Amino acid sequence: MSETTTPEEVLEACKAKGLRLATAESCTGGMVGAALTEVAGSSAVVLGGIVAYANSAKRDLLGVTDDTLSAHGAVSEETAREMAEGARAALKADIAVSITGIAGPGGAGDKPEGRVCFAVARDGAETRSETRDFGALGRANVRAASRDRALALLLEAAEA
């Protein structure tokens, strides 16, 4: 899937399959939701999004468990999966994407700047996750690359 997926493509694919979507974002702070809702008519597909920057918000709003956060940290595929599943459940969506990562500057422990974990939860399918190391591109570039990858993952899941 191309990293130049447009919000319009995501919305059209979801609309064609009758899918309603949600987002769960940490390091992007709502950029995916903003990109989607900039498109006129997006309300036919987008139910909402949850920006959960702090671990307490990931836990309280998205249902990420303390065990997951303790064992794997906020920047992990395990946390990303629980975030996507939590957003899908909370907003009663058919499909949800999540993003959690280190936009920079600097990394945290063994997790370098530019490491971002994603997950997509879709009704009736196994939740899929992946990690991308975008590198030390600078905060704005890591966040933009993360938004673009999330859109591509949503399109891929919607077309599956």
Side-chain angles (χ1 to χ4, degrees):
M1 195 58 47
S2 167
E3 294 298 311
T4 58
T5 301
T6 67
E8 290 85 359
E9 290 174 295
V10 173
L11 295 168
E12 288 171 22
C14 287
K15 194 170 185 180
K17 297 244 178 136
L19 300 172
R20 303 292 304 269
L21 70 81
T23 62
E25 301 183 62
S26 185
C27 66
T28 47
M31 291 173 71
V32 176
L36 291 165
T37 58
E38 282 181 15
V39 179
S42 59
S43 61
V45 172
V46 179
L47 291 170
I50 297 171
V51 175
Y53 207 68
N55 284 351
S56 59
K58 289 175 181 69
R59 183 183 57 244
D60 298 343
L61 299 173
L62 296 168
V64 176
T65 67
D66 285 326
D67 289 344
T68 297
L69 291 167
S70 294
H72 305 285
V75 180
S76 66
E77 289 187 35
E78 292 83 0
T79 295
R81 282 194 295 271
E82 289 184 17
M83 288 173 65
E85 291 165 357
R88 195 175 75 72
L91 294 165
K92 297 176 179 38
D94 302 299
I95 189 169
V97 68
S98 69
I99 305 170
T100 183
I102 301 174
D110 63 344
K111 297 175 182 176
E113 177 180 335
R115 177 164 297 163
V116 182
C117 301
F118 303 86
V120 177
R122 182 170 171 183
D123 192 32
E126 183 176 336
T127 300
R128 296 178 43 213
S129 61
E130 69 174 44
T131 298
R132 288 284 174 109
D133 284 310
F134 293 111
L137 303 173
R139 186 170 184 82
N141 291 324
V142 169
R143 294 175 76 218
S146 298
R147 175 204 57 218
D148 294 347
R149 182 61 189 151
L151 290 170
L153 289 169
L154 275 172
L155 181 60
E156 182 180 300
E159 290 179 339

